[in-house]
Tab-separated table of all heavy atoms in Angstrom:
chain	number	residue	atom	x	y	z
A	169	LEU	N	7.323	-23.865	21.002
A	169	LEU	CA	6.374	-24.224	22.048
A	169	LEU	C	5.218	-24.983	21.433
A	169	LEU	O	5.025	-24.961	20.220
A	169	LEU	CB	5.889	-22.983	22.801
A	169	LEU	CG	5.313	-21.819	22.004
A	169	LEU	CD1	3.845	-22.037	21.708
A	169	LEU	CD2	5.493	-20.511	22.759
A	170	LYS	N	4.455	-25.633	22.296
A	170	LYS	CA	3.307	-26.402	21.811
A	170	LYS	C	2.189	-26.392	22.848
A	170	LYS	O	2.415	-26.103	24.022
A	170	LYS	CB	3.704	-27.841	21.494
A	170	LYS	CG	4.071	-28.686	22.696
A	170	LYS	CD	4.367	-30.111	22.257
A	170	LYS	CE	4.572	-31.024	23.459
A	170	LYS	NZ	5.836	-30.823	24.123
A	171	ALA	N	0.995	-26.733	22.374
A	171	ALA	CA	-0.166	-26.923	23.246
A	171	ALA	C	-1.001	-28.033	22.647
A	171	ALA	O	-1.256	-28.044	21.443
A	171	ALA	CB	-0.982	-25.641	23.357
A	172	THR	N	-1.405	-28.967	23.475
A	172	THR	CA	-2.069	-30.151	22.945
A	172	THR	C	-3.564	-30.182	23.197
A	172	THR	O	-4.259	-31.055	22.673
A	172	THR	CB	-1.431	-31.431	23.514
A	172	THR	OG1	-1.509	-31.365	24.939
A	172	THR	CG2	0.024	-31.542	23.089
A	173	LYS	N	-4.098	-29.260	24.005
A	173	LYS	CA	-5.536	-29.216	24.189
A	173	LYS	C	-5.975	-27.799	24.507
A	173	LYS	O	-5.174	-26.932	24.870
A	173	LYS	CB	-5.981	-30.177	25.291
A	173	LYS	CG	-5.433	-29.886	26.659
A	173	LYS	CD	-5.886	-30.959	27.629
A	173	LYS	CE	-5.499	-30.620	29.064
A	173	LYS	NZ	-4.064	-30.528	29.271
A	174	ALA	N	-7.279	-27.582	24.396
A	174	ALA	CA	-7.852	-26.252	24.569
A	174	ALA	C	-7.480	-25.680	25.934
A	174	ALA	O	-7.449	-26.384	26.938
A	174	ALA	CB	-9.367	-26.319	24.412
A	175	ASP	N	-7.178	-24.373	25.930
A	175	ASP	CA	-6.810	-23.581	27.106
A	175	ASP	C	-5.390	-23.837	27.604
A	175	ASP	O	-4.947	-23.169	28.536
A	175	ASP	CB	-7.799	-23.773	28.255
A	175	ASP	CG	-9.196	-23.334	27.876
A	175	ASP	OD1	-9.332	-22.359	27.115
A	175	ASP	OD2	-10.162	-23.979	28.318
A	176	ASP	N	-4.681	-24.773	26.994
A	176	ASP	CA	-3.268	-24.959	27.334
A	176	ASP	C	-2.484	-23.729	26.915
A	176	ASP	O	-2.746	-23.135	25.872
A	176	ASP	CB	-2.694	-26.164	26.574
A	176	ASP	CG	-2.815	-27.445	27.356
A	176	ASP	OD1	-3.374	-27.418	28.469
A	176	ASP	OD2	-2.339	-28.481	26.836
A	177	LYS	N	-1.497	-23.382	27.703
A	177	LYS	CA	-0.565	-22.314	27.335
A	177	LYS	C	0.802	-22.934	27.154
A	177	LYS	O	1.334	-23.567	28.068
A	177	LYS	CB	-0.517	-21.227	28.397
A	177	LYS	CG	0.492	-20.113	28.079
A	177	LYS	CD	0.645	-19.122	29.218
A	177	LYS	CE	-0.477	-18.141	29.248
A	177	LYS	NZ	-0.253	-17.036	30.213
A	178	GLY	N	1.362	-22.744	25.962
A	178	GLY	CA	2.741	-23.154	25.729
A	178	GLY	C	3.652	-21.967	25.976
A	178	GLY	O	3.288	-20.826	25.676
A	179	SER	N	4.840	-22.225	26.516
A	179	SER	CA	5.778	-21.130	26.753
A	179	SER	C	7.206	-21.631	26.665
A	179	SER	O	7.500	-22.783	26.990
A	179	SER	CB	5.531	-20.492	28.120
A	179	SER	OG	5.725	-21.440	29.141
A	180	ASN	N	8.080	-20.719	26.215
A	180	ASN	CA	9.498	-21.064	26.083
A	180	ASN	C	10.263	-19.811	25.708
A	180	ASN	O	9.809	-19.049	24.842
A	180	ASN	CB	9.692	-22.140	25.001
A	180	ASN	CG	11.122	-22.632	24.921
A	180	ASN	OD1	11.872	-22.550	25.889
A	180	ASN	ND2	11.495	-23.174	23.782
A	181	LYS	N	11.392	-19.577	26.317
A	181	LYS	CA	12.286	-18.454	25.988
A	181	LYS	C	11.561	-17.118	26.022
A	181	LYS	O	11.899	-16.207	25.254
A	181	LYS	CB	12.908	-18.665	24.607
A	181	LYS	CG	13.751	-19.922	24.483
A	181	LYS	CD	14.356	-20.016	23.094
A	181	LYS	CE	15.176	-21.274	22.957
A	181	LYS	NZ	15.775	-21.401	21.595
A	182	GLY	N	10.564	-16.945	26.855
A	182	GLY	CA	9.832	-15.698	26.959
A	182	GLY	C	8.662	-15.594	25.998
A	182	GLY	O	7.872	-14.650	26.075
A	183	PHE	N	8.529	-16.548	25.099
A	183	PHE	CA	7.396	-16.597	24.174
A	183	PHE	C	6.251	-17.384	24.818
A	183	PHE	O	6.479	-18.332	25.558
A	183	PHE	CB	7.787	-17.287	22.864
A	183	PHE	CG	8.740	-16.508	22.013
A	183	PHE	CD1	10.111	-16.654	22.182
A	183	PHE	CD2	8.275	-15.636	21.039
A	183	PHE	CE1	11.004	-15.947	21.397
A	183	PHE	CE2	9.163	-14.932	20.247
A	183	PHE	CZ	10.524	-15.081	20.431
A	184	GLU	N	5.021	-16.959	24.489
A	184	GLU	CA	3.835	-17.659	24.990
A	184	GLU	C	2.786	-17.736	23.887
A	184	GLU	O	2.728	-16.858	23.015
A	184	GLU	CB	3.210	-16.892	26.169
A	184	GLU	CG	4.031	-16.868	27.417
A	184	GLU	CD	3.280	-16.166	28.541
A	184	GLU	OE1	2.344	-15.402	28.242
A	184	GLU	OE2	3.654	-16.377	29.707
A	185	ALA	N	1.959	-18.765	23.967
A	185	ALA	CA	0.790	-18.871	23.092
A	185	ALA	C	-0.252	-19.713	23.803
A	185	ALA	O	0.088	-20.730	24.414
A	185	ALA	CB	1.157	-19.499	21.748
A	186	THR	N	-1.515	-19.294	23.715
A	186	THR	CA	-2.598	-20.011	24.379
A	186	THR	C	-3.540	-20.590	23.341
A	186	THR	O	-3.963	-19.893	22.405
A	186	THR	CB	-3.372	-19.077	25.316
A	186	THR	OG1	-2.467	-18.557	26.301
A	186	THR	CG2	-4.494	-19.827	26.024
A	187	TYR	N	-3.867	-21.831	23.501
A	187	TYR	CA	-4.754	-22.567	22.597
A	187	TYR	C	-6.194	-22.140	22.907
A	187	TYR	O	-6.753	-22.512	23.939
A	187	TYR	CB	-4.545	-24.052	22.870
A	187	TYR	CG	-5.230	-25.052	21.979
A	187	TYR	CD1	-4.815	-26.375	21.993
A	187	TYR	CD2	-6.296	-24.733	21.153
A	187	TYR	CE1	-5.412	-27.344	21.207
A	187	TYR	CE2	-6.909	-25.691	20.374
A	187	TYR	CZ	-6.455	-26.994	20.397
A	187	TYR	OH	-7.058	-27.950	19.611
A	188	ARG	N	-6.786	-21.371	21.997
A	188	ARG	CA	-8.148	-20.862	22.173
A	188	ARG	C	-9.076	-21.569	21.198
A	188	ARG	O	-9.112	-21.248	20.007
A	188	ARG	CB	-8.191	-19.352	21.902
A	188	ARG	CG	-7.270	-18.535	22.774
A	188	ARG	CD	-7.839	-18.309	24.127
A	188	ARG	NE	-7.035	-17.369	24.918
A	188	ARG	CZ	-7.013	-17.358	26.240
A	188	ARG	NH1	-7.733	-18.249	26.928
A	188	ARG	NH2	-6.276	-16.465	26.869
A	189	LYS	N	-9.825	-22.516	21.712
A	189	LYS	CA	-10.723	-23.294	20.849
A	189	LYS	C	-11.883	-22.433	20.353
A	189	LYS	O	-12.329	-22.574	19.221
A	189	LYS	CB	-11.226	-24.516	21.620
A	189	LYS	CG	-11.962	-25.535	20.772
A	189	LYS	CD	-12.179	-26.814	21.563
A	189	LYS	CE	-12.808	-27.902	20.713
A	189	LYS	NZ	-14.179	-27.597	20.328
A	190	GLU	N	-12.361	-21.523	21.208
A	190	GLU	CA	-13.546	-20.733	20.836
A	190	GLU	C	-13.259	-19.784	19.678
A	190	GLU	O	-14.153	-19.460	18.900
A	190	GLU	CB	-14.079	-19.976	22.056
A	190	GLU	CG	-13.128	-18.939	22.630
A	190	GLU	CD	-12.125	-19.497	23.612
A	190	GLU	OE1	-11.966	-20.738	23.671
A	190	GLU	OE2	-11.484	-18.694	24.306
A	191	THR	N	-12.008	-19.332	19.572
A	191	THR	CA	-11.639	-18.444	18.470
A	191	THR	C	-10.724	-19.141	17.465
A	191	THR	O	-10.237	-18.497	16.527
A	191	THR	CB	-10.928	-17.186	18.999
A	191	THR	OG1	-9.806	-17.596	19.803
A	191	THR	CG2	-11.877	-16.329	19.820
A	192	THR	N	-10.497	-20.416	17.644
A	192	THR	CA	-9.577	-21.222	16.811
A	192	THR	C	-8.283	-20.466	16.554
A	192	THR	O	-7.848	-20.278	15.400
A	192	THR	CB	-10.224	-21.677	15.486
A	192	THR	OG1	-10.579	-20.533	14.688
A	192	THR	CG2	-11.446	-22.530	15.737
Side-chain angles (χ1 to χ4, degrees):
Chain A
L169 53 85
K170 68 177 187 286
T172 57
K173 62 183 187 298
D175 299 325
D176 269 2
K177 178 187 281 189
S179 61
N180 186 24
K181 299 182 181 179
F183 291 89
E184 292 184 340
T186 300
Y187 186 165
R188 302 281 188 205
K189 190 169 185 292
E190 64 275 14
T191 55
T192 62

